Amino acid sequence: VAYFVSELKSKDEAKDECWDPSLVSSAFLSPWLRPRKVESPHPVRDDYQCFKTVVLPGASCLYLNFDPRCATQYDYDKVVVYAGNNTNGRKVAEFGGNSHGAGSRSVVRMGWPKEPIKVEGDAVTISFQVKSSRERNTPDIAVWGFSCIISTKVGILAPTLRPSLRQATQPEAIEELVVRCVINHLGLTKTVHGLELLQATETDGEEYRYLCSVMREVYNRLNGLIRQLQTMAEMEQKWAHEIEDVRSGVLQPSAAFFNDFHLQE
C-alpha cells in the first residue's frame, strides 16, 4: 500500500461519481480477526505465572509466532501450549530454556520455535510459569521471558511466476490497477496518504483497521486471479508447442492434448 502513497498524490483525488456509500454493506468484506499478543514482562521476574486463553471466533486453526528473543533461565521455566479453552485440552507443544549459556544451558527439545505453530480450532490456551529464582550471573537476555502473536493466517504469499509468464501476465500492472480502483472506489485515498504520518500508537484506529481489512481481501482475490491467469498462460504455451510439433511432423494431430480438449472441459 505504501507504494501507492506517492502514486496517488500525483493523481486526481476525485471519487467515482457513481459510488454511493450506502451501497457498501458491512458484509462486503469477510471479518478480519485481529492478531492477539500474549507475553510476559521483559525480563521476566521470579515466580511469574501466566494463564491466558485466546479465542478468535470462527477460525478453523490458529498460528502462534514466538519472538526470537524468547528465553528462560532453566528449561523447566517453560511455556506450554494447549488446544482449546483451558489446560485440559490437548498439549500442542512446550518451550523453555535458553541458548545463552545461563542456568540449565539447554532448551526443551528443539528449542523455541522459529516457524509458526499451528493449533487446530479457534481457541488456544498458553500456560507459563517461572519456577527458578534468577541467579546472580544470569544476564537479562537469558531471562527475557516470552512473547507470542496469535493470528488466523501466516501471511498472504504472492504466486511464484516464471519470468516468461510474469512478462505475459504483468501481475504488477494488474496489482496497481486493482488496488488503485479499490482505494478510490471505497474512498480510502485520505487514509492511504495518512500512512506516511502514522504513529505506532495509531494502529488501533477504525480507519486503519478498515484499510488493512480491505487490503487483505483484495490481495486474497488478486492472488487467486493471478493463479488463474498463470494456468491459462501455461495451457496456451503448451498448445503453441504442440502446434509446432504437429506442423513439424513430430506429433500426430490425434495425439495432441487439444484434439479432444473441448470434450474434456
Side-chain angles (χ1 to χ4, degrees), residues 5-19:
V5 172
S6 59
E7 291 294 313
L8 285 169
K9 284 186 173 180
S10 64
K11 304 293 182 180
D12 293 333
E13 296 185 9
K15 294 183 180 178
D16 186 351
E17 295 179 356
C18 298
W19 179 66

Side-chain angles (χ1 to χ4, degrees), residues 60-64 81 83 90 92 115-121 154:
S60 60
C61 62
L62 303 176
Y63 293 93
L64 282 62
V81 179
R90 180 178 63 87
V92 177
E115 300 295 330
I117 301 299
K118 182 179 180 180
V119 179
E120 298 294 339
V154 293

